[in-house]
């Protein structure tokens, strides 16, 4: 007797989504792991995916939970076609469901072609001759050859190629300063996978999928490349997916979800800028792409390269304690220097009577660089005009009706907006509490910086890049091209300008306020700040003129700022590791945050308190696991829901997973990130 474990595509009540069916004798030869099947479900039939097959002995304890086992109705894949979901993808989905406590149904959905997610429509795998996406990128580029690797690059490539030839799931950390030639190593290693007749996956943060990156990959690897990112329409993504599925495309370049493209014969996985927060998915399933990539490499028996100029300290730690092989690129090819970084203490500027968001030395540098025709990037990690509106008579500040955050003033729209729920309010210029007109925006965002820059430097042309201006699918590409072709002198933007841009004309980078991300109550705040500052400074000096960065801060003695100024990764990592060890944070322990939302605050708090009591009892028998809380979330009220949480901290937190609350109103985030 044969049984199949099936995950129905329809939503199921409760947290159970695996059901067992008896396989009729006639179907035993047809059914495979990953097959799409039809099963009786309640009074209806449903489609679903096979994730387990076995006899009573293999599935013993799983089967015993079932009261009545019904028969499978039909196998929907034709026997001559590949299965709907490859077996290795089923394994990957099972891993994600277990590691991040996510519904298996949602994890399997990740593996489906874009047009099939949510709708039940059989997949078509037809052969496509061309890719519209690729043609856009490839219009102007001709095939180019490899560069001659530097000694450091050659050493790295030797080790990676050896692991590829031996089909070993080895894991590498390629640690190289910005502009040291990491991409060159990736491209030559990927070319080796193609020579082996295998496939390759090249993951980059969404924001680094610039036309420039794509051009470089296409130039080297030609039409064998498929591109998957969120800027594509569903139709375009579907087309790329089909080119991969039928074997036309053998290299996939994409953001985190490209992990799930159908690549059954991977020779290499590359994951660039491994410290990027875009690798953590912030909705269900809340997986981290680095951990999924490590697992994928094991499933496929292929090497994985993680790359970064500023790796997460837990990754760096792993490279020193085994598990990851460290490959280092310490210099830029051709000996081009890193930009010099000057720090400005903004408290001194205030004391000297300068209330402008530009320090004297930044203003002077802008004038100088602009005067000789150089380009400038100004980075401020906030959009809008002012993050807070304050009444100087009564102390009133405008806050969102639905969330516990202040409303941001947007001058151009003459509006106050909540950046968490999107609510807006009219800005009257009069305090709603006391009627005073002494109400004013304080602090600066991108919009105010642009306005003040134009006021102080008449004739300077600017492009503002933030979520208010990058609204259409192609906005980012267009702005990037405009700036690259020097249609503007200054690019002002949020995180969007911090990474991936390689523009030779940029001589100066101004960091308006280095402290914004430092204030977050997150154990990663120091690391995120260090990495962001190092990366944004690295945008300068990529041409012939040496680059310069000016970093404005109110906390010049914080170690994350100090080490960013000297661009001293090792010094930073050393200090950060010490702090993490003292507090039991990664790599010395892991975290899981359980959040409960409820419209009534007392109910939210009480519910979490009750769960904490239960969890403490369990944790008492599990050495080294702590349960912290209850405490209000950082955003204690969001979309009119109060949010309370508790945090599990410890070395083997997965031992407490079966006891975590899964009921309505709860959300669980394992290994949370910023
Ligand atoms: P990273 O990915 O580390 O930021 P890139 O791979 O983009 O660095 O390389 C930075 C610059 O150095 C690029 O313009 C690239 O063409 C050049 N470069 C990389 N490797 C070599 C090499 N072996 N010889 C000459 N130039 C190189
Ligand atoms: Zn007032
Ligand atoms: Zn809000």
């Amino acid at each position: 007797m044969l049984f199949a474990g099936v995950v129905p595509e329809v939503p199921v009540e409760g947290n159970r989504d695996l059901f067992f069916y008896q396989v009729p004798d006639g179907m035993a030869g047809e059914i495979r792991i990953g097959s799409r099947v039809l099963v009786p479900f309640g009074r209806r039939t449903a489609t679903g995916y096979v994730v387990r097959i076995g006899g009573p002995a293999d599935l013993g304890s799983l089967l015993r939970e079932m009261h009545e086992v019904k028969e499978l109705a039909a196998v929907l894949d034709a026997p001559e076609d590949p299965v709907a979901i490859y077996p290795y993808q089923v394994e990957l989905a099972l891993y994600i469901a277990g590691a991040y406590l996510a519904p298996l149904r949602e994890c399997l959905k990740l593996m489906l072609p874009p047009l099939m997610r949510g709708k039940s429509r059989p997949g078509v795998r037809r052969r496509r001759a061309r890719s519209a996406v690729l043609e856009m990128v490839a219009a102007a580029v001709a095939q180019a050859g490899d560069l001659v690797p530097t000694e450091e690059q050659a050493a790295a490539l030797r080790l990676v190629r050896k692991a590829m030839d031996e089909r070993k799931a080895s894991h590498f950390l390629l640690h190289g300063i910005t502009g040291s030639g990491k991409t060159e190593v990736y491209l030559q290693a990927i070319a080796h996978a193609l020579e082996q007749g295998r496939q390759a996956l090249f993951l980059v943060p969404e924001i680094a999928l610039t036309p420039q990156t794509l051009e470089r990959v296409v130039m080297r690897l030609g039409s064998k490349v498929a591109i998957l990112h969120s800027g594509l329409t569903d139709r375009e993504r579907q087309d790329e997916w089909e080119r991969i599925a039928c074997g036309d495309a053998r290299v996939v370049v994409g953001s985190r979800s490209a992990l799930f493209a159908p690549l059954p014969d991977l020779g290499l996985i590359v994951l660039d800028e491994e410290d990027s927060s875009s690798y953590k998915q912030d909705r269900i399933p809340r997986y981290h792409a680095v951990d999924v990539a490590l697992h994928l490499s094991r499933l496929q028996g292929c090497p994985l390269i993680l790359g970064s100029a500023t790796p997460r300290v837990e990754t760096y730690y792993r490279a020193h304690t085994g598990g990851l092989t460290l490959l280092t690129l310490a210099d830029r090819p051709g000996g081009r220097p890193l930009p010099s970084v000057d720090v400005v203490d903004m408290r001194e500027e205030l004391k000297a009577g300068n209330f402008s968001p530009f320090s004297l030395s930044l203003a002077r540098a802008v004038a100088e660089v602009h005067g000789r025709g150089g380009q400038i990037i100004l980075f401020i990690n906030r959009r809008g005009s002012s993050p807070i509106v304050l009444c100087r008579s009564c102390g009133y500040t405008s806050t969102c009706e639905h969330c516990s955050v202040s409303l941001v003033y947007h001058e151009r729209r003459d509006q106050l907006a909540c950046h968490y729920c999107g609510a807006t309010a009219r800005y009257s210029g009069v305090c709603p509490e006391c009627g005073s007109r002494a109400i004013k925006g304080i602090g600066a965002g991108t919009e105010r910086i642009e306005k003040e820059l134009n006021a102080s430097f008449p004739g300077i042309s600017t492009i503002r890049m933030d979520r208010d201006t990058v609204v259409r699918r192609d906005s980012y590409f267009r702005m990037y091209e405009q700036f690259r072709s020097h249609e503007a002198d200054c690019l002002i933007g949020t995180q969007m300008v911090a990474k991936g841009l390689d523009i030779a004309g940029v001589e100066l980078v101004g960091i308006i306020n280095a402290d914004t991300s430092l204030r977050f109550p997150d154990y990663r705040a120091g690391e995120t700040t260090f990495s962001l500052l190092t990366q944004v400074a690295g945008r300068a000096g990529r041409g012939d003129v040496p680059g310069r960065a000016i970093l404005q801060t109110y906390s010049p003695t914080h170690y994350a700022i100090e080490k960013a100024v000297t661009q001293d990764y090792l010094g930073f990592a050393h200090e950060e590791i010490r702090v993490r060890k003292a507090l039991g944070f990664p790599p010395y322990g892991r975290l899981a945050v359980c959040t409960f939302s409820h419209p009534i605050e007392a109910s939210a708090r009480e519910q979490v308190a009750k769960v904490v009591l239960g969890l403490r009892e369990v944790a008492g028998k599990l050495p080294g696991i702590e349960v912290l809380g209850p405490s209000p979330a950082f955003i204690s009220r969001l979309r009119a829901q109060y949010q309370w949480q508790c945090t599990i901290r410890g070395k083997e937190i997965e031992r407490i997973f079966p006891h975590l609350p899964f009921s309505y109103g709860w959300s669980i985030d394992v290994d949370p990130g910023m």
Side-chain angles (χ1 to χ4, degrees):
M1 240 193 310
L2 202 60
F3 295 91
V6 175
V7 178
E9 274 186 306
V10 295
V12 180
E13 260 177 63
N15 58 17
R16 158 96 191 276
D17 49 13
L18 178 58
F19 297 84
F20 284 89
Y21 295 88
Q22 195 177 331
V23 181
D25 288 344
M27 288 180 210
E30 274 174 63
I31 193 166
R32 292 170 287 172
I33 293 281
S35 288
R36 197 154 178 275
V37 292
L38 205 59
V39 291
F41 198 70
R43 261 173 263 128
R44 300 162 296 163
T45 52
T47 52
Y49 297 93
V50 176
V51 302
R52 292 269 184 253
I53 300 175
D58 313 316
L59 303 171
S61 67
L62 291 167
L63 280 177
R64 234 169 284 130
E65 290 169 22
M66 307 282 302
H67 305 295
E68 162 206 22
V69 179
K70 295 183 190 161
E71 275 200 349
L72 200 79
V75 179
L76 298 172
D77 308 319
E80 66 275 13
D81 280 350
V83 272
I85 301 178
Y86 284 109
Y88 88 86
Q89 292 176 303
V90 169
E91 287 305 317
L92 203 57
L94 286 164
Y95 164 77
I96 295 171
Y100 299 98
L101 301 169
L104 190 48
R105 187 171 58 91
E106 297 301 323
C107 302
L108 285 168
K109 218 192 260 178
L110 296 170
M111 318 290 164
L112 295 175
L115 287 183
M116 259 184 80
R117 294 173 201 159
K119 292 168 215 148
S120 26
R121 200 163 67 71
V124 265
R125 287 198 173 149
R126 59 202 151 89
R127 182 158 279 271
R128 296 192 61 86
R130 47 180 280 272
S131 153
V133 179
L134 208 57
E135 274 167 22
M136 186 182 79
V137 176
V141 300
Q143 198 105 357
D146 288 354
L147 296 169
V148 179
T150 61
E151 241 168 73
E152 288 181 321
Q153 285 171 327
L157 279 165
R158 254 195 315 276
L159 286 176
V160 173
R161 285 206 193 102
K162 183 160 178 285
M164 291 170 76
D165 291 340
E166 293 169 359
R167 305 212 164 193
K168 273 205 182 133
S170 314
H171 302 150
F172 298 95
L173 170 60
L174 181 60
H175 178 218
I177 58 170
T178 53
S180 59
K182 295 184 289 297
T183 310
E184 191 57 35
V185 173
Y186 306 148
L187 292 175
Q188 296 199 24
I190 290 171
H192 189 64
L194 294 180
E195 282 160 23
Q196 291 183 310
R198 303 180 80 190
Q199 301 163 315
L201 176 60
F202 184 6
L203 299 168
V204 293
E206 186 76 51
I207 214 72
L209 279 164
T210 57
Q212 195 177 24
T213 315
L214 298 177
E215 267 172 31
R216 229 172 128 187
V217 178
V218 172
M219 205 150 69
R220 201 62 75 69
L221 304 164
S223 60
K224 294 179 279 293
V225 178
I227 297 161
L228 290 172
H229 67 88
S230 66
L232 307 181
T233 62
D234 279 353
R235 182 73 249 173
E236 287 168 333
R237 254 201 304 253
Q238 177 74 19
D239 287 352
E240 292 297 278
W241 195 277
E242 287 171 14
R243 290 179 55 241
I244 302 163
C246 74
D248 276 358
R250 284 163 54 216
V251 179
V252 177
V253 186
S255 47
R256 62 175 184 247
S257 62
L259 276 169
F260 310 118
L263 294 165
D265 190 22
L266 268 180
L268 177 71
I269 307 168
V270 173
L271 189 151
D272 193 23
E273 300 195 26
E274 75 87 33
D275 57 308
S276 167
S277 61
S278 74
Y279 285 125
K280 175 74 199 239
Q281 171 145 298
D282 53 8
R283 53 176 192 277
I284 293 170
R286 297 190 161 83
Y287 65 87
H288 198 295
V290 171
D291 291 311
V292 176
L294 285 163
H295 199 73
L296 179 59
S297 119
R298 284 184 212 113
L299 285 171
Q300 297 246 2
C302 74
L304 164 69
I305 310 177
L306 302 175
S308 179
T310 53
R312 293 176 300 160
V313 295
E314 63 253 52
T315 307
Y316 197 72
Y317 181 84
R318 249 143 95 187
H320 281 274
T321 52
L324 280 173
T325 305
L326 182 64
L327 310 169
T328 307
L329 304 181
D331 296 304
R332 289 180 165 185
R336 199 172 281 157
L338 280 174
S340 65
V341 182
D342 299 329
V343 64
V344 177
D345 185 343
M346 290 305 273
R347 296 170 304 185
E348 298 297 322
E349 295 284 317
L350 284 180
K351 269 190 225 153
N354 176 14
F355 298 104
S356 144
F358 308 119
S359 61
L360 288 179
S361 67
L362 180 57
R364 212 177 292 131
V366 169
E368 209 178 285
V369 170
H370 179 49
R372 62 165 180 262
Q375 284 179 293
I376 300 159
I377 292 178
L378 293 182
F379 166 72
I380 173 139
N381 207 359
R382 264 210 183 104
R383 64 197 167 92
S385 303
S386 311
I388 295 173
V389 173
L390 171 79
C391 171
R392 283 163 208 247
S393 299
C394 74
Y396 163 87
T397 57
S398 55
T399 49
C400 178
E401 251 184 276
H402 317 286
C403 314
S404 59
V405 298
S406 56
L407 293 173
V408 176
Y409 179 47
H410 289 251
E411 188 176 349
R412 197 159 308 177
R413 292 188 256 148
D414 199 25
Q415 228 178 22
L416 299 167
C418 173
H419 285 185
Y420 287 85
C421 75
T424 56
R426 212 171 64 82
Y427 178 69
S428 61
V430 175
C431 173
E433 289 288 317
C434 75
S436 162
R437 292 201 160 268
I439 186 162
K440 261 181 90 176
I442 51 175
T446 45
E447 211 178 303
R448 176 159 168 228
I449 294 301
E450 184 177 38
K451 190 177 166 199
E452 299 230 354
L453 189 76
N454 282 308
S456 313
F457 301 92
I460 202 165
S461 53
T462 54
I463 295 177
R464 174 158 62 92
M465 207 187 240
D466 58 31
R467 260 199 289 149
D468 294 317
T469 62
V470 178
V471 284
R472 289 187 18 189
R473 284 194 305 111
D474 58 351
S475 314
Y476 181 74
F477 277 27
R478 213 187 50 242
M479 288 178 181
Y480 175 83
E481 282 306 329
Q482 276 173 356
F483 191 58
R484 178 158 71 155
S485 56
H486 208 145
E487 281 169 51
D489 307 310
C490 182
L491 179 67
I492 299 159
T494 52
Q495 297 205 39
M496 289 185 183
V497 305
K499 295 191 175 187
L501 303 183
D502 185 17
I503 293 170
V506 177
E507 295 177 23
L508 173 68
V509 166
I511 296 162
I512 303 295
N513 182 352
D515 314 344
T516 319
S517 53
L518 209 53
R519 310 256 172 266
F520 268 75
D522 184 304
Y523 76 91
R524 291 197 184 282
E527 181 173 88
T528 307
T529 304
F530 173 81
S531 149
L532 203 53
L533 298 179
T534 310
Q535 299 272 0
V536 69
R539 299 309 107 206
R542 293 181 169 246
D544 298 328
V545 182
R548 179 173 179 206
I550 295 177
L551 184 157
Q552 306 188 147
T553 175
Y554 292 92
S555 18
T557 55
H558 190 289
Y559 67 93
I561 307 270
E562 272 184 344
K563 302 296 182 196
V565 170
T566 49
Q567 299 177 70
D568 175 12
Y569 175 79
L570 291 185
F572 170 76
H574 198 78
E575 187 62 29
E576 182 69 17
I577 287 269
R578 209 178 52 77
V579 174
R580 300 276 183 94
K581 186 170 189 179
L583 298 173
F585 285 137
Y588 295 95
R590 291 175 64 203
L591 301 174
V593 178
C594 309
T595 307
F596 184 71
S597 311
H598 198 277
I600 300 163
E601 175 155 38
S603 307
R605 189 184 55 232
E606 282 158 23
Q607 178 66 24
V608 178
K610 210 170 87 192
V611 163
V612 164
L613 280 183
L615 288 177
R616 286 227 167 96
E617 200 167 313
V618 178
K621 295 175 209 115
L622 302 172
I625 294 185
E626 287 173 281
V627 182
L628 314 171
S631 60
F634 172 50
I635 308 290
S636 60
R637 188 163 170 261
L638 183 67
R639 297 188 183 87
Q641 301 270 323
Y642 288 92
Q643 305 201 100
W644 278 70
Q645 53 190 205
C646 60
T647 301
I648 320 294
R649 181 168 69 183
K651 271 213 180 314
E652 294 171 9
I653 54 169
E654 60 281 354
R655 296 177 65 189
I656 207 170
F657 281 2
H659 305 279
L660 295 184
F662 291 101
S663 47
Y664 185 79
W666 283 97
S667 82
I668 298 174
D669 194 0
V670 180
D671 302 333
M674 254 175 121

